[in-house]
Amino acid sequence: MNSNFIRRWRQSNWVTILILGITVLIFLGETLTGGSQSPQVLVNWGAKYDPLVQIGQWWRLITPVFVHIGFMHIFVNGFTLYYIGGAVEQMIGHWRFALIYLLSGLSGNLMSFALGGAAVSAGASTALFGLFGVYIALGVIFDDSYYLRQTGRQFLMLAIFNLVFDLMASGIDIWGHIGGLIGGFLLISAFALPGQKFRKGVAWQVSASIVFLAICAFLYWLGMVR
């Protein structure tokens, strides 16, 4: 019985459920402490606010992925996380998914910090665009797989569509989305999938890791000096 429980636990999307649960709890906290559309409440719960990042509150480059602005914001992002996040977690494994989700959020918020406006911003979309980047990268890495190649193309079109929509809509942080997309692409390129050798070779893997770290360092420096 214990072995069956452990096997089911390993095969479940428990990281996705955990992240979604934390996100919902934080949204309830926002609602109970003044409302999820209050800038001060958002800042109190960890939203990105550049002046605070610049004085040393670097964690605000990660915590915004758990903070949302209004019910529709968390509903759409939560729905996307549950379905796409669950599929990605099943494909790449729990720890890879957790790292890519959080680090894609970091790279997206860093690009927003460096190139975006100074307004309060929050939301899981930086990390979710990272998951789009995962599918796009897998289509490149496993180019002999019809399924992954076609899925990668579909997510590339989905990402392009969303970025075009970002340009036409107001109040959307397009830089955060671009940064998350690039981060997800590079991060899955740095990992081998469970039980498989890395398809493009160690040089590709190491290069992707170095490029990701270099981009993050440059964006942090740019955000601190602008």
Side-chain angles (χ1 to χ4, degrees), residues 15-16 19-20 23 61-62 64-68 77-78 80-82 84-85 88 92 94-109 123-131 134 180 183-184 187 191:
V15 175
T16 299
I19 292 172
L20 184 58
T23 302
L61 297 169
I62 300 174
V65 300
F66 299 102
V67 181
H68 287 80
N77 282 353
T80 305
L81 170 61
Y82 182 78
I84 295 182
V88 173
I92 69 176
H94 306 303
W95 71 265
R96 289 175 180 84
F97 173 76
L99 282 176
I100 289 174
Y101 187 85
L102 294 174
L103 292 178
S104 294
L106 171 66
S107 63
N109 285 317
S125 54
T126 51
L128 295 175
F129 265 81
L131 302 185
V134 167
L187 286 163
F191 298 136

Side-chain angles (χ1 to χ4, degrees), residues 24-222:
V24 170
L25 286 175
I26 288 177
F27 184 77
L28 290 175
E30 296 172 44
T31 302
L32 294 173
T33 56
S36 63
Q37 299 194 49
S38 164
Q40 186 58 56
V41 170
L42 293 169
V43 169
N44 291 344
W45 282 95
K48 184 180 74 68
Y49 184 50
D50 292 356
L52 293 180
V53 177
Q54 291 170 330
I55 64 171
Q57 295 185 16
W58 54 267
W59 59 86
R60 292 184 182 276
L61 297 169
I62 300 174
T63 53
V65 300
F66 299 102
V67 181
H68 287 80
I69 307 170
F71 175 77
M72 285 306 299
H73 193 204
I74 190 174
F75 177 79
V76 172
N77 282 353
F79 185 86
T80 305
L81 170 61
Y82 182 78
Y83 284 101
I84 295 182
V88 173
E89 184 177 354
Q90 284 290 310
M91 185 164 47
I92 69 176
H94 306 303
W95 71 265
R96 289 175 180 84
F97 173 76
L99 282 176
I100 289 174
Y101 187 85
L102 294 174
L103 292 178
S104 294
L106 171 66
S107 63
N109 285 317
L110 276 169
M111 187 163 286
S112 172
F113 176 56
L115 302 174
V120 174
S121 64
S125 54
T126 51
L128 295 175
F129 265 81
L131 302 185
F132 294 174
V134 167
Y135 274 111
I136 296 168
L138 290 177
V140 174
I141 296 168
F142 294 90
D143 54 2
D144 57 341
S145 167
Y146 176 81
Y147 169 75
L148 289 176
R149 193 169 64 249
Q150 290 299 112
T151 304
R153 290 173 181 171
Q154 291 169 4
F155 273 88
L156 176 60
M157 294 305 299
L158 178 62
I160 292 172
F161 173 82
N162 276 275
L163 292 174
V164 170
F165 176 79
D166 291 349
L167 290 172
M168 297 186 294
S170 60
I172 296 180
D173 188 356
I174 188 173
W175 290 113
H177 293 175
I178 293 172
L181 184 70
I182 293 172
F185 185 97
L186 291 172
L187 286 163
I188 194 59
S189 298
F191 298 136
L193 295 186
Q196 298 189 37
K197 293 182 179 180
F198 196 78
R199 297 290 297 274
K200 294 292 186 179
V202 175
W204 176 291
Q205 194 172 3
V206 172
S207 297
S209 303
I210 293 173
V211 170
F212 176 80
L213 292 173
I215 289 174
C216 288
F218 174 73
L219 290 174
Y220 183 74
W221 170 82
L222 190 62

